């Protein structure tokens, strides 16, 4: 068999490999603390589960319209108005099976040899993988520790050329927890006026998980880029629904038909019962979200303090998401060596910063989607090994 050449350019998400290895080690009887996985350690809210069960019992077993059932697209538009204070047309909403699908579609739509796509590095690994797959040039926007893993608007704009077709922004971010302040975002958006042909994809999957005085800055709130902005969000993180495979995007008028066509070619529509559950999640009580974010916030303080107390590690305070990204350069080993050592010898699963791009060398991602006891035990194991 001869595979298409582009298959050799497809990357992967190492977090899944770490998870597999951690599960294997656990199955051999080893005590494993999993701080590697990027999903909330909460159950989906009961009323959401009930809505899915009811939908199945009520006979919602068939295909739905490809972009999503109308009531859900309207619920998404209402939710955007509620949380982002921005009006969007439900006709521009596309319901997709997970946040990843939006990024894949956006990158497929703009990527081809000769095109350039800017993406955050360290960043969610699928951006770079999918860009390379299309044959476009992947241009990293470095996210810098000295800026609390925000980006420099000036630095990002300097990377843009007349070949830039798409710019990907992710705030709050995976793997760093960094959030771009409004002033920096304002400057970036002002500069985009010089590149009117470039589309923007804003990955706001962690929009509801922000801490302290860090308010979420949605790119939807900049009217000057609305005609070329793709918004990525979904239910996975906010409602602890990663396994349901539910996401949504908002596309500009000129792109929604193209996106819908990709959906029809790819998956036809999202699981009907899951779409009913998605309405319940958006319209029902939000106390489970509030509880989850409060709990993450408490753990964030514990893990940041704990990591900074360890010799050789230093850790910034993240503005959002549920990750910390400490600097481990003083430990004297590469990020991958540290990841393997901590998993194999200490039973602590984390993910090497290099799994998120070349600018991740010298860092390790911890997910604090784990109990306080587990976080404290992991810190103790690492502390003992560092002497
Ligand atoms: N975007 C970012 C930044 C993420 O961290 C993730 C998942 O970890 C996704 C998108 C994908 O979300 P989903 O599981 O809904 O596909």
């Amino acid at each position: 068999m001869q595979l298409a050449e582009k298959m050799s350019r497809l990357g992967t998400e190492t977090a899944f490999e770490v998870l597999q290895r951690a599960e294997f080690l656990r199955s051999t009887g080893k005590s494993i603390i999993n701080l590697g996985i990027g999903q909330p350690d909460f159950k989906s809210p009961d009323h959401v589960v009930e809505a899915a069960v009811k939908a199945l019992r009520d006979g919602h077993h068939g295909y739905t319209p490809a972009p999503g059932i109308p009531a859900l697209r309207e619920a998404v538009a209402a939710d955007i108005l509620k949380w982002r204070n921005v009006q969007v047309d439900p006709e521009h909403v596309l319901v997709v099976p997970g946040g990843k699908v939006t990024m894949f579609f956006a990158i497929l739509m703009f990527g081809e040899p000769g095109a350039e796509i800017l993406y955050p590095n360290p960043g969610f690994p699928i951006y770079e993988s999918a860009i390379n797959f299309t044959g476009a040039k992947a241009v990293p926007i470095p996210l810098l520790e000295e800026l609390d893993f925000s980006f420099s608007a000036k630095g990002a704009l300097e990377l843009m050329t007349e070949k830039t077709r798409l710019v990907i922004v992710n705030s709050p971010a995976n793997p760093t927890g960094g959030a771009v302040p409004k002033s920096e975002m304002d400057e970036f958006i002002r500069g985009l006026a010089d590149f009117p042909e470039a589309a923007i994809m804003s990955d706001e999957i962690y929009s509801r998980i922000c801490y302290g005085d860090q308010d979420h800055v949605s790119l939807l709130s900049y009217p000057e880029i609305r005609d070329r902005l793709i918004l990525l969000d979904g239910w996975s993180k906010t409602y602890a629904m990663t396994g349901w495979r539910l996401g949504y995007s908002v596309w500009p008028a000129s792109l929604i038909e193209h996106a819908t066509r990709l959906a029809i070619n790819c998956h036809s529509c999202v699981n009907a019962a899951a779409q009913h559950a998605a309405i319940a999640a958006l319209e029902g009580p939000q106390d489970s979200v509030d509880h989850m974010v409060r709990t993450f916030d408490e753990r964030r303080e514990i893990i940041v303090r704990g990591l900074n107390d360890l010799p050789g590690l230093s850790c910034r305070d993240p503005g959002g998401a549920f990750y910390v990204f400490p600097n481990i350069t003083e430990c004297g080993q590469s990020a991958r060596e540290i990841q393997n050592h901590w998993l194999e010898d200490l039973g602590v699963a984390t993910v090497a910063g290099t799994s998120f791009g070349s600018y991740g060398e010298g860092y390790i991602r911890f997910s604090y989607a784990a109990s306080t006891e587990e976080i404290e035990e992991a810190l103790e194991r690492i502390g003992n090994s560092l002497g």
Side-chain angles (χ1 to χ4, degrees):
M1 290 190 292
Q2 185 168 352
L3 288 183
E5 195 258 329
K6 56 181 173 286
M7 287 306 293
S8 65
R9 297 195 300 264
L10 204 53
T12 187
E13 200 181 337
T14 319
F16 282 103
E17 286 163 21
V18 172
L19 176 67
Q20 212 175 342
R21 180 73 188 153
E23 290 302 334
F24 169 76
L25 291 172
R26 189 174 276 153
S27 75
T28 65
K30 201 168 164 61
S31 153
I32 299 290
I33 301 169
N34 194 345
L35 303 182
I37 189 71
Q39 68 178 341
D41 56 322
F42 292 83
K43 287 205 303 199
S44 307
D46 286 343
H47 68 278
V48 173
V49 176
E50 289 310 318
V53 172
K54 181 172 183 313
L56 285 171
R57 291 205 197 290
D58 288 351
H60 293 286
H61 301 166
Y63 293 126
T64 76
I69 53 180
L72 177 53
R73 297 170 83 195
E74 278 160 27
V76 168
D79 189 73
I80 288 172
L81 183 61
K82 178 172 169 193
W83 293 103
R84 294 177 169 90
N85 201 20
V86 178
Q87 207 104 36
V88 304
D89 183 345
E91 294 287 313
H92 292 182
V93 173
L94 183 71
V95 180
V96 281
K100 262 183 183 167
V101 179
T102 301
M103 72 182 71
F104 203 62
F105 284 3
I107 292 168
L108 276 187
M109 214 179 266
F110 290 100
E112 63 181 346
E116 295 180 0
I117 300 183
L118 269 60
Y119 71 102
N121 186 329
F124 191 54
I126 302 307
Y127 305 141
E128 187 179 340
S129 163
I131 298 167
N132 287 336
F133 181 69
T134 66
K137 181 174 170 197
V139 181
I141 303 175
L143 301 190
L144 305 171
E145 183 183 5
E146 53 269 34
L147 297 178
D148 284 333
F149 296 109
S150 172
F151 67 70
S152 143
K154 189 167 167 286
L157 290 163
E158 278 169 7
L159 296 168
M160 295 189 70
T161 71
E162 76 285 356
K163 293 190 189 138
T164 307
R165 296 260 188 95
L166 178 68
V167 183
I168 300 173
V169 178
N170 171 221
S171 175
N174 179 7
T176 62
V180 182
K182 180 154 186 331
S183 54
E184 204 67 27
M185 204 67 104
D186 288 351
E187 188 184 335
F188 182 61
I189 303 296
R190 270 196 303 277
L192 286 179
D194 294 336
F195 303 93
E197 301 297 324
I200 303 113
M201 188 194 80
S202 183
D203 182 342
E204 302 185 10
I205 199 108
Y206 297 102
S207 62
R208 294 276 299 277
I209 309 177
C210 293
Y211 307 114
D213 52 8
Q214 179 71 54
D215 281 335
H216 173 60
V217 183
S218 175
L219 262 60
L220 268 184
S221 57
Y222 293 89
E224 58 272 50
I225 56 162
R226 279 292 293 280
D227 61 349
R228 51 191 174 121
L229 175 73
I230 302 157
L231 174 83
L232 180 163
D233 203 340
W235 288 260
S236 295
K237 315 289 173 170
T238 308
Y239 297 100
M241 293 175 72
T242 50
W244 294 67
R245 309 313 300 137
L246 263 176
Y248 68 79
S249 22
V250 179
W251 299 78
S254 60
L255 297 181
I256 181 70
E257 285 308 319
H258 296 288
T260 307
R261 194 166 287 206
L262 280 169
I264 292 168
N265 274 270
C266 175
H267 55 262
S268 297
C269 65
V270 170
N271 172 312
Q275 292 193 52
H276 286 274
I279 299 177
L282 297 181
E283 294 184 345
Q286 301 293 302
D287 46 342
S288 61
V289 184
D290 298 338
H291 169 70
M292 182 181 75
V293 176
R294 259 200 319 275
T295 309
F296 282 151
D297 199 8
E298 287 160 16
R299 296 171 183 171
R300 175 180 69 109
E301 280 189 23
I302 293 168
I303 197 163
V304 170
R305 196 174 341 110
L307 287 168
N308 280 320
D309 283 346
L310 295 178
L313 270 72
S314 62
C315 183
R316 297 276 168 152
D317 211 357
F322 41 80
Y323 309 108
V324 280
F325 205 57
N327 186 319
I328 45 104
T329 41
E330 282 186 22
C331 295
Q333 282 177 298
S334 73
R336 181 53 68 96
E337 284 165 343
I338 296 263
Q339 170 200 290
N340 292 343
H341 165 49
W342 287 356
L343 177 57
E344 303 292 332
D345 305 328
L346 312 181
V348 177
T350 57
V351 184
T354 38
S355 299
F356 305 95
S358 52
Y359 287 88
E361 185 52 275
Y363 301 91
I364 289 272
R365 187 190 80 172
F366 286 73
S367 154
Y368 46 94
S371 70
T372 308
E373 293 71 34
E374 286 175 303
I375 292 168
E376 283 171 344
E377 168 73 19
L379 289 168
E380 195 175 318
R381 289 186 194 180
I382 295 170
N384 289 341
S385 85
L386 294 171

